[in-house]
Amino acid sequence: MTISIAKANDKASAELAVGPLFSRRHDTPSDISFEKGSDRRQQSLVANDGVNPSKHTSTFDTAGNSSFYAPIEQYEGKHRYDPNFEWKPKDERKLVRKLDLRICSWVCLMFFALQLDRGNITQALSDTMLHDLKMNTNDYNTGQTIFYVCFLFAELPSQLISKKLGPDRWMPVQMVSWSLVASLQAFLSGRSSFFACRALLGILEGGFIPDCILYLSYFYTSIELPIRLSFFFVAYESTSIVSAFLAFGILHLRGHNGLAGWRWLFALEGLLTGIIGFISFVYLPPSPTQTKSWFRGKDGWFSEHEECVMVNRIIRDDPSKGDMHNRQALGPPALWYSLTDYDMWPIYLIGLTWAIPNTPITQYLTLQLKAVGFDTFETNLLTIPAYVLFIIQLLWWTWVSEKTDQRFLTGLVSQIWALPLLIALETISGRTGAWVKWALSTLLVGAPYVHAILVATTSRNAGSVRTRTVASAMYNMTVQASLVISSN
């Protein structure tokens, strides 16, 4: 069966309205094809290869398939769904910028808070924490292993809770809970309390990253998500830069009220996270069509037209997003089906291995710099160039992966980059200067970071909200497992 699709004339194409789009699901017959005619060229589009719905270069006929791709009645945006709805690309671009400002930027701030409490342990190490708690590096390593194991096993349960309650409710609960534990680390008394706090932080923080990814997928198309995730992980690494400056100042509070500098660090940064968490309770909207509230305004953030654009562009990009509503739990059969989706397993295997080469130096960077002769405050400032390089590499390679449409090949760059640096660090003489070791360590910590690419690939290949929920957690679990492996 062949369906003709006519493209609007060149004069109208600049302001072409985006109309009905045939979007595929896995059970679409493989023999359906499209012939796209235009004045410029003829192009054959095969349904199995899919039509790129986010390009929106022409208006497509649904050919009677609109009912097949319609969302379920319980879908939160069903009242805005219209297979015949049309909009202009410039309206969509304006809307995406609005989403970036109101949704993506706040999620990035929340992730900043996560990394602030998860990563400030490295700044505490540069102070006198180990000495004050009568611990050694082996005890610290054990504590980090406990954290990663708890973080790992909390991933999937957190995602299931998030799917039931809604990410907009569950993520603030997580933030406030872990901020309390993070602040109470100021009162650590020894190895046992250190281990207990690392376990609690792992349990409370686990699942937060896939929760954020699930939440962003409600607002962005599959093409837009990778770049937003790169912003997401820029916030992650920006935390390392900001926290280095914060640590430089806060650690100077050493001795105030009889407290060590590292105790002030945990108390104050935990308090900051708690404030962001409390605001998130009232700030985050459940979905594109549910933004009205006393805090966000009685009219909400978006007009009726904008809500229609958001719902229809999301459903046309991925019709499976209309198969569940945003507070619908996964039952045991759906969970089992998602876990046994073997098409996703290769991505999990990649998640288990790709971060191993540069994780040890990242975890112990401050200790390594102190060991070669830099003092506490020099150490914190000398970590900043590595994090700046990290951010540059993250944005560049994420852009390259989308530009070339080669995500797994782009992912290999991180391994090619790390190999000669690992060989150099392993073989250099003990008499090598401190600045040479710092340079090699900086280059290794700032290696190409392909996590955003792989996370987006996981979401894009899931094929359903059900599988996306579970696969995001499973992928992140394998990444956390790699951190446990590489830290021991």
Side-chain angles (χ1 to χ4, degrees), residues 99-112 172 175 215 275-281 283-284 295 301:
L99 288 172
D100 288 341
L101 179 63
R102 293 188 178 271
I103 300 297
C104 187
S105 61
W106 189 263
V107 173
C108 288
L109 179 63
M110 294 168 68
F111 194 35
F112 171 92
M175 293 186 69
Y215 183 69
I275 292 172
I276 296 173
F278 274 114
I279 297 175
S280 298
F281 271 114
Y283 183 86
L284 293 177
F295 185 83
W301 287 345

Side-chain angles (χ1 to χ4, degrees), residues 203-269:
I203 292 170
L204 295 172
E205 292 178 358
F208 185 78
I209 296 174
D211 292 342
C212 289
I213 296 166
L214 176 65
Y215 183 69
L216 288 175
S217 71
Y218 293 160
F219 296 89
Y220 292 102
T221 66
S222 59
I223 299 297
E224 295 162 350
L225 192 58
I227 298 299
R228 273 70 198 177
L229 290 177
S230 71
F231 298 158
F232 188 66
F233 288 104
V234 163
Y236 158 83
E237 203 60 23
S238 297
T239 311
S240 302
I241 298 174
V242 174
S243 63
F245 283 112
L246 287 175
F248 182 82
I250 295 174
L251 291 178
H252 276 92
L253 292 174
R254 183 186 303 158
H256 282 261
N257 293 328
L259 295 178
W262 62 268
R263 295 185 187 274
W264 282 109
L265 185 74
F266 285 137
L268 295 177
E269 292 187 350

Side-chain angles (χ1 to χ4, degrees), residues 105-126:
S105 61
W106 189 263
V107 173
C108 288
L109 179 63
M110 294 168 68
F111 194 35
F112 171 92
L114 169 71
Q115 187 57 22
L116 190 66
D117 287 338
R118 189 170 68 163
N120 59 10
I121 187 72
T122 59
Q123 279 86 36
L125 280 181
S126 70

Side-chain angles (χ1 to χ4, degrees), residues 114-159:
L114 169 71
Q115 187 57 22
L116 190 66
D117 287 338
R118 189 170 68 163
N120 59 10
I121 187 72
T122 59
Q123 279 86 36
L125 280 181
S126 70
D127 199 37
T128 59
M129 188 186 79
L130 292 183
H131 177 268
D132 294 345
L133 297 179
K134 297 179 175 58
M135 289 168 36
N136 55 35
T137 53
N138 289 332
D139 296 325
Y140 166 73
N141 192 46
T142 301
Q144 287 299 88
T145 300
I146 291 171
F147 171 81
Y148 288 129
V149 169
C150 292
F151 195 99
L152 185 157
F153 284 107
E155 293 273 7
L156 187 55
S158 176
Q159 271 287 82

Side-chain angles (χ1 to χ4, degrees), residues 4-9 12-13 15-22 35-38 43 45 51-61 85-87 89 316:
S4 291
I5 304 174
K7 187 176 181 181
N9 60 41
S13 62
E15 291 296 323
L16 190 62
V18 180
L21 171 66
F22 180 97
E35 291 180 359
K36 180 181 177 182
S38 74
Q43 182 181 12
L45 298 176
V51 178
N52 185 350
S54 67
K55 296 293 185 184
H56 295 319
T57 54
S58 59
T59 300
F60 292 86
D61 293 328
F85 181 74
E86 298 181 358
W87 66 92
R316 293 175 194 181

Side-chain angles (χ1 to χ4, degrees), residues 36 220 393 436 441 454:
K36 180 181 177 182
Y220 292 102
Q393 299 251 46
V436 174
S441 299
L454 295 174

